[in-house]
């Protein structure tokens, strides 16, 4: 495994649409393993392949909604599609490609995603709260959409300081 560089918002590649994954081969597995290491080392909750410079429809999301005493785990989503949403949440969102900035973005409260695993096997997964937000945010990356374009507004430095102190 190896760490990959995370592109930042100035880089045009982040605004391009990613292509469907058709080969579930060792090269894809290497990409996913590297993305996992990169995500964990950056302390993020999600990462999309275009963020590491690969325009392929693959994302990782950490499921943080786990019962007390159980470990968070990484969900790998290849060719993900949102098939159902419900409810709404309005809250602060950030991105590893936009370090130090947060914006208020409305997202569904619950999201069901259909995707394939690293071997091409289809599955469905549902997420709520932060996980739902993350599914939407990462799938947006595959369309070349960065959250700043969807934010109602960005947080001020003062608001960010207050949010950090709350934690
Ligand atoms: Ni992001």
């Amino acid at each position: 495994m190896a760490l990959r560089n995370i592109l930042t918002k100035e880089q045009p590649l982040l605004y391009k649409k990613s292509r469907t994954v058709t080969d579930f081969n060792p090269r894809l597995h290497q990409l996913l393993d590297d993305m996992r290491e990169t995500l964990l080392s950056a302390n993020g909750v999600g990462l999309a392949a275009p963020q590491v410079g690969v325009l392929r429809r693959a994302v990782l999301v950490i499921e943080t909604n786990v019962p007390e005493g159980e470990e968070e785990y990484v969900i790998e989503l290849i060719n993900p599609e949102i098939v159902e949403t419900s409810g709404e949440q309005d809250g602060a969102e950030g991105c590893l490609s936009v370090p130090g900035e947060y914006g208020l973005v409305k997202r569904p409260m619950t999201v069901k995603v259909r995707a394939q695993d690293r071997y091409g096997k289809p599955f469905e997964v549902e997420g709520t709260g932060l996980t739902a937000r993350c599914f939407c945010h990462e799938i947006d990356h595959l369309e070349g959409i960065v959250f700043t374009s969807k934010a109602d507004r960005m947080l001020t430095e003062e608001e960010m300081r207050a949010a950090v102190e709350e934690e």
Side-chain angles (χ1 to χ4, degrees):
M1 290 205 283
L3 285 179
R4 304 225 183 173
N5 279 330
I6 298 177
L7 302 186
T8 53
K9 61 174 184 184
E10 296 76 24
Q11 281 150 304
L13 196 130
L14 270 188
Y15 305 92
K16 296 201 165 136
K17 200 173 153 151
S18 291
R19 294 184 297 273
T20 302
V21 173
T22 49
D23 295 326
F24 296 83
N25 56 16
R27 203 157 162 230
L28 172 70
H29 298 174
Q30 181 70 58
L31 168 68
L32 293 167
D33 291 343
D34 289 354
M35 282 173 62
R36 175 186 297 246
E37 194 178 349
T38 305
L39 173 62
L40 296 177
S41 115
N43 275 319
V45 283
L47 187 68
Q51 289 181 278
V52 295
V54 178
L55 287 174
R56 287 289 175 182
R57 301 185 80 83
V59 310
L60 303 184
V61 169
I62 298 185
E63 175 56 274
T64 52
N65 257 329
V66 292
E68 179 93 43
E70 284 183 28
E71 292 226 25
E72 299 180 350
Y73 54 95
V74 177
I75 306 171
E76 295 179 348
L77 302 163
I78 317 303
N79 301 324
E81 274 177 76
I82 294 174
V83 290
E84 230 177 274
T85 66
S86 65
E88 192 182 72
Q89 55 177 320
D90 196 2
E93 194 164 310
C95 177
L96 291 174
S97 294
V98 192
E101 292 182 54
Y102 297 86
L104 294 177
V105 186
K106 283 192 188 71
R107 300 286 193 186
M109 184 51 89
T110 302
V111 172
K112 191 194 271 183
V113 175
R114 186 175 300 148
Q116 287 165 280
D117 70 11
R118 61 164 62 201
Y119 305 102
K121 189 177 170 227
F123 68 100
E124 284 190 351
V125 60
E126 199 174 270
T128 306
L130 178 61
T131 309
R133 177 176 291 284
C134 222
F135 284 157
C136 296
H137 177 114
E138 301 312 327
I139 291 170
D140 275 352
H141 273 302
L142 303 181
E143 297 301 316
I145 297 168
V146 176
F147 83 97
T148 47
S149 70
K150 286 200 162 174
D152 294 320
R153 65 178 182 85
M154 300 302 285
L155 296 187
T156 63
E157 278 189 32
E158 202 163 293
E159 286 173 317
M160 284 194 288
R161 256 200 309 274
V164 169
E165 276 162 19
E166 251 174 50
E167 278 175 11

